[in-house]
Amino acid sequence: MTKDQAIQLLFSKIEAGRALNMAKSFILWDATTTGVPVRSLPARGAASGWISGEIFRRFVAPDTLEAIETLEAIGGGLSEYESAMVRVLGREYRKLRAVPPDEFQAFKALITQSEPVWEAARAKRDFDIMVPYYDKIFEYQRRLCDWYGYEEHPYDALLDDFEQGASVKMLDSFFSALRDRIVPLLKDIISAGKQPREITGMFDIGKQRELMPWLCDFVGYDRSRGKVAEVEHPFCSTFSRHDVRITTKYHEDNLLAAVYSTIHEAGHALYEQNMEEDMEPYRLAHAASMGLHESQSRLFENMICRSRGFTALLLDKLQEKFGDYFSSWDEDMLFRAVNIVRPSLIRIEADELTYCLHIIVRYELEKGLMSGETRASMLPGLWAEKYEELIGVRPGNLAEGVLQDVHWNRGLVGYFPSYAVGTAYGAQLVHAMKKTVDVDAAVKKGDLSPVAGWMKEKVHRHGARLLPGDLIKHATGEAFDPSYYVDYLSEKFTELYL
Ligand code: ZN
C-alpha cells in the first residue's frame, strides 16, 4: 500500500464513520427531543445497534491496520494533520482490537440486563440484587485493564482511556491537593454559618424560555448553526460543526437550573462549532479529550457565569422577566445566591465548591475496585464513610447514595475523574487568559467575544490535533497544574464566606 492509498483509504473510512455516526445521532436526537411512540423502542434500538456494528466492522478491518502501519512506518514524512490522524486512529484501532469480540458482546448484554435491576434496586432500596451485576461489570473492567495494558496501576488503563495521559499517580496528587485545601475550607464555611438568601418560589417556564437566546448569545453559541431543544437530561449533540445542538430542562421551582445548564451545554457547543473545518477529513475535528470538553462547559458555567460581572447582567434580565420577585434584590445578593455552598448527597446538584469532593469519593472507590481491594458488596458502606469524611453528610438511602449515578451500571469506570480534571484545566486556561484578556471587563460589558476568541485560538480550533497535556501546555505555556483550580476555589469561597 502506498502512502496516498493509505491516506485515501483512511479518509474513506472516516467519511463512512461520520455518516453512520450522524445517522445514530439523529435517531437519538429524535428519540429524546420529540415525542416518539413508546413502541418504537425495539425497532429504533435494533437500527441503532446495526449502525454501531457497521461502524465497528468497517473500521476494525485488516486494511485499516495496513493503512495505519504503512503511515506509521513513514513517520516524519507525514504532514502534521496526517501524523495526528495516524496517532488518533492507531490508538482507537488497537483498543478496539484488544477486546475479544465475544467478551464485548457478552458485556453489552450484561449492561442491558443490569439497567432494569439498577432501577429496581433504587426503587426498593435493595443493594443486594445489584451486587452480582456489579461484580460482573467490575470484573469485566479489570479484564479490560489487562487487555488495554498498563504500567503501574490497573486503573491507569481506564483513566487513560477517558483522559489520555491521566493515571493514578497524577490523580492521587491532584485529588490530595484538592482534599487538603477544600475539606478544611468547607468545614470553616459551615462553622461560619453565613446563609445567603436563596431564590425560592415558582417561576413561569414560558418566561424562563425567553432568557435562553440571551444566554446562548452571551456565551457565543451560534444558534444559526444549531438548535435548542428541551429534554429530561440535558446534553449537547454534534452532527457537523455547522449543526451543533444543545438541550435544556426548565424547572418551575428552580430558576437557576436551566440558566446554568444552558450555559454549560452552550460551552460544550462552542468548542464543537469553533474547530477548523479542514481537520474534518482527518478525524481531528473532535475535542482533544473528554476533560477538555468538560473544561469548556464548566469554565463558562462557573468561572465566567458565577462571577459578579455576570450576575449583575443576569439580575437585569431577571428583574425584566420576574420583576415582582427580584425587585428587592441587588447584585451582591444574586452573586451570593448563585454561589451557595451546601454539602449535599447528589453529585449533579452539587455546588461549585463541593463538586470535586463528590468526584474524589468515586475515584477512590473505583481505584479500590480495579486493584481488587474493594468488592461490590462493600460499596454502600464505603460510600457512606467517604461522604461523611469529605463532605460531612451521610446518605439516608441508596438512591441518594451509591445508586445515584448511571455510570457504573453502564460500565463507565474511569469516567468520573475527567469531570474534575476538566474543571482544573478550565481554571488553568482562565488564569492564562487573564494575562492578556481583561475577562472581568468583558463580562461586565456583556461582550464575551475576547474570551470566546481566546478560547477559539488557544483551544477550540485545534480539535484533537494535540494531546490534552500538549494542548494545555500550548495554550497556557505550562504543563497541567491543578494548583490553579485549588487556588481559584479557595480564593473565591474564602472571599464569599469567611
Ligand atoms: Zn458537560
Side-chain angles (χ1 to χ4, degrees):
M1 198 181 276
T2 66
K3 177 188 165 186
D4 283 349
Q5 283 170 332
I7 287 178
Q8 287 314 316
L9 182 93
L10 294 182
F11 277 3
S12 72
K13 301 242 174 196
I14 289 168
E15 195 181 1
R18 190 163 53 236
L20 290 164
N21 270 308
M22 195 190 270
K24 242 177 89 173
S25 301
F26 279 122
I27 292 175
L28 184 71
W29 178 266
D30 179 63
T32 46
T33 62
T34 59
V36 291
V38 178
R39 290 173 66 188
S40 72
L41 183 70
R44 210 170 56 230
S48 195
W50 184 87
I51 296 172
S52 296
E54 197 58 16
I55 293 171
F56 183 88
R57 191 184 63 77
R58 282 166 180 270
F59 182 66
V60 185
D63 57 348
T64 311
L65 182 62
E66 193 187 342
I68 290 169
E69 286 177 341
T70 302
L71 297 171
E72 281 173 342
I74 297 171
L78 300 176
S79 72
E80 196 205 348
Y81 281 6
E82 286 165 358
S83 78
M85 168 178 76
V86 174
R87 169 178 57 76
V88 168
L89 297 185
R91 171 179 154 93
E92 191 179 322
Y93 185 93
R94 292 183 176 104
K95 284 201 181 234
L96 289 169
R97 271 300 292 273
V99 182
D102 53 334
E103 295 255 15
F104 179 69
Q105 290 306 332
F107 181 65
K108 265 176 53 181
L110 171 67
I111 293 300
T112 310
Q113 291 158 16
S114 84
E115 186 91 16
V117 180
W118 173 75
E119 300 274 2
R122 272 162 62 97
K124 293 187 207 153
R125 314 284 195 243
D126 179 0
F127 192 73
D128 291 348
I129 57 170
M130 196 57 206
V131 170
Y133 290 88
Y134 275 151
D135 275 338
K136 284 187 202 147
I137 289 170
F138 296 131
E139 180 49 42
Y140 177 84
Q141 298 295 320
R142 279 192 292 272
R143 285 207 298 279
L144 201 56
C145 299
D146 292 332
W147 294 325
Y148 285 168
Y150 58 87
E151 277 171 20
E152 290 177 16
H153 196 290
Y155 189 27
D156 288 349
L158 303 181
L159 293 169
D160 179 83
D161 193 31
F162 290 106
E163 191 61 31
Q164 204 173 349
S167 64
V168 165
K169 198 171 162 191
M170 165 196 171
L171 292 175
D172 274 350
S173 96
F174 169 39
F175 287 132
S176 75
L178 265 172
R179 170 204 283 261
D180 290 351
R181 289 272 289 282
I182 305 308
V183 172
L185 176 61
L186 178 62
K187 287 194 175 128
D188 290 347
I189 288 174
I190 304 299
S191 51
K194 279 192 198 169
Q195 291 288 342
R197 181 166 163 195
E198 267 184 79
I199 299 172
T200 52
M202 303 298 253
F203 298 89
D204 179 61
I205 285 181
K207 286 186 179 172
Q208 289 193 44
R209 232 176 244 133
E210 289 166 17
L211 290 170
M212 189 276 301
W214 171 69
L215 291 168
C216 292
D217 296 349
F218 178 73
V219 171
Y221 167 58
D222 180 354
R223 289 183 290 127
S224 74
R225 296 193 291 140
K227 187 182 175 123
V228 185
E230 291 173 33
V231 292
E232 200 46 42
H233 303 288
F235 63 93
C236 168
S237 185
T238 303
F239 299 88
S240 77
R241 63 189 289 281
H242 298 300
D243 186 0
V244 184
R245 305 180 189 182
I246 64 169
T247 56
T248 198
K249 177 170 169 68
Y250 298 99
H251 300 258
E252 207 175 1
D253 61 351
N254 187 347
L255 177 60
L256 294 178
V259 168
Y260 284 98
S261 98
T262 302
I263 296 168
H264 181 99
E265 300 308 333
H268 279 304
L270 197 59
Y271 193 177
E272 297 282 337
Q273 288 184 327
N274 280 341
M275 286 176 200
E276 295 284 6
E277 191 141 35
D278 63 356
M279 293 192 306
E280 217 155 66
Y282 298 86
R283 255 288 300 278
L284 299 174
H286 286 272
S289 69
M290 289 240 344
L292 270 151
H293 227 312
E294 209 55 28
S295 78
Q296 296 308 301
S297 53
R298 294 182 63 81
L299 81 85
F300 280 102
E301 178 190 346
N302 295 316
M303 290 146 210
I304 306 291
C305 294
R306 290 188 204 269
S307 65
R308 283 188 189 275
F310 178 75
T311 48
L313 302 176
L314 181 63
L315 182 63
D316 281 348
K317 295 286 170 189
L318 296 179
Q319 284 177 336
E320 213 176 88
K321 302 286 172 207
F322 307 101
D324 291 348
Y325 184 82
F326 286 100
S327 57
S328 62
W329 284 66
D330 63 26
E331 292 172 17
D332 187 62
M333 286 160 70
L334 187 60
F335 173 60
R336 288 173 191 282
V338 305
N339 285 299
I340 289 179
V341 171
R342 179 175 299 125
S344 64
L345 292 159
I346 307 290
R347 176 185 60 87
I348 56 167
E349 293 166 8
D351 57 75
E352 188 184 3
L353 182 71
T354 57
Y355 185 83
C356 55
L357 304 177
H358 292 256
I359 301 298
I360 298 178
V361 171
R362 289 153 178 80
Y363 167 74
E364 290 183 350
L365 294 174
E366 287 186 349
K367 191 167 72 166
L369 286 162
M370 289 308 105
S371 72
E373 265 165 59
T374 304
R375 307 294 311 165
S377 56
M378 296 155 71
L379 287 172
L382 288 173
W383 184 281
E385 243 169 63
K386 287 182 190 292
Y387 261 78
E388 174 103 65
E389 182 192 335
L390 290 168
I391 314 181
V393 287
R394 261 187 115 85
N397 62 60
L398 293 162
E400 60 180 27
V402 67
L403 292 178
Q404 67 182 267
D405 298 301
V406 296
H407 299 58
W408 290 343
N409 64 294
R410 293 191 180 162
L412 296 169
V413 179
Y415 189 119
F416 287 118
S418 59
Y419 294 125
V421 173
T423 315
Y425 287 156
Q428 186 169 349
L429 289 167
V430 171
H431 183 271
M433 175 170 57
K434 284 186 169 172
K435 290 177 192 164
T436 51
V437 175
D438 191 340
V439 176
D440 294 337
V443 175
K444 212 168 166 184
K445 257 175 70 185
D447 176 12
L448 275 194
S449 54
V451 172
W454 191 94
M455 283 299 161
K456 179 179 180 180
E457 181 55 32
K458 302 283 188 180
V459 179
H460 301 163
R461 74 183 186 88
H462 301 287
R465 187 173 71 81
L466 297 169
L467 290 169
D470 293 337
L471 184 65
I472 290 295
K473 214 176 217 168
H474 177 268
T476 68
E478 288 176 277
F480 171 54
D481 181 352
S483 66
Y484 292 109
Y485 176 41
V486 183
D487 289 346
Y488 157 78
L489 283 178
S490 158
E491 279 160 30
K492 177 174 179 178
F493 289 94
T494 301
E495 192 241 298
L496 264 161
Y497 280 92
L498 300 173

